[in-house]
Every structure is written in structure tokens, then in C-alpha cells.
Amino acid sequence: MRRADAADASLLAELGARIFYETFVQDTPPEDMDAYLKATYGPDIQRAELNDPQSTFFIAETGGAASGYALLRAGRPPECVEGARPIELARLYVSQGWHGHGVGEALMRACVDEARRAGFETLWLGVWEHNARAKAFYAKWEFVAVGSHIFAVGTDEQIDLLMSRAL
């Protein structure tokens, strides 16, 4: 596990696009998938996120290769997130070949530890309402649903559950 820096922009662009695609390709129209990937995961976009002082990235490496990553992002949460000093777990992505091997747990632990170290008291996230595997993972980490919002993948408007937990 390591913190990402500006030199990781291309890696995060490739990794984020690949994991998002492999996770949601079966449920997303191709034109919407293409539009979302182009708008979200280019190296310049990742570089801007890496340079944002409100963002902290962690990269999980297994056998010398990136197997997943997480993004913590400070900022104003939705009104339904009521806990004190909240921070968003904006992404927790694990390559499918590494599901069930502890990569997600290691990324979550790094995020929880970093959020606590930085003085945050609440961790929140959005998860697609039909992503049963992710919802079960977050429930195991004591996240509870507190609301929902629209998450647009291209023109495909989906419902994300908003979940939070105390740190």
C-alpha cells in the first residue's frame, strides 16, 4: 500500500477506467460507458485530482503491479450525511482478479486510518444500488444507508445509495 503522487496519473487513469469498465460493462450502454470513461479517467483528469489538496489516493500493489486504488476527498457532503467532520470515500476500486484476496480490506483500512489521522469523524460514500458485492463489503465495514442520489454514467442516470459510518 502506498500513497499516489503526480507521477501516478497515467497509472490511475488506466486502472480506474479498466476497473470501472470491467465492473459495469454488463449494465451500461456502450455509448454511456465511453462518455463516462473519457470524462473521468484521462491522465490530465487524474493529474488534476492528484494535485487537489482535498484528495488523497492510495494504490494497492500486489506482486509488483497495481491491484486497486482508493480516493479520499474532503469537501461538503450531501445533507443526509449527518456525522461530524465528514470525508468522502470517493472511490475504492479493486481489479476483479484480486477480489476476495484482501485488497479491498487493505485499501479500506488505509482510508479509515488516514481519515482518523487527519481528524475526520465520519466516512461516507456512494454505491450503485444494484452493486450487491460492494454493498455487502461496505455493510461489513459498518456503513449504513443514509440517503441516495443520481449518479450519471454518460446519459444513463443511476441511483447511488449514500452510506456513512462513524470513525
Side-chain angles (χ1 to χ4, degrees), residues 149-160:
H149 72 176
I150 299 294
F151 183 85
V153 179
T155 61
D156 185 18
E157 292 187 345
Q158 302 175 358
I159 304 294
D160 269 9

Side-chain angles (χ1 to χ4, degrees), residues 13-91:
E14 183 281 325
L15 190 62
R18 180 171 44 83
I19 294 172
F20 190 90
Y21 180 86
E22 69 189 17
T23 303
F24 300 110
V25 67
Q26 299 297 332
D27 303 299
T28 306
E31 61 279 3
D32 289 321
M33 177 64 76
D34 290 344
Y36 183 79
L37 295 178
K38 286 177 185 168
T40 308
Y41 295 111
D44 290 339
I45 297 166
Q46 297 310 293
R47 192 170 294 104
E49 288 184 336
L50 285 159
N51 289 328
D52 180 351
Q54 299 284 82
S55 297
T56 303
F57 283 85
F58 292 99
I59 298 174
E61 294 178 334
T62 310
S67 53
Y69 80 97
L71 165 59
L72 282 174
R73 184 171 36 219
R76 187 178 183 100
E79 288 184 20
C80 61
V81 176
E82 297 179 350
R85 295 203 28 92
I87 188 168
E88 179 184 13
L89 177 56
R91 296 184 195 129

Side-chain angles (χ1 to χ4, degrees), residues 92-109:
L92 196 154
Y93 289 0
V94 176
S95 292
Q96 284 185 355
W98 290 103
H99 286 183
H101 293 277
V103 175
E105 288 85 359
L107 285 165
M108 181 65 80
R109 175 59 46 215

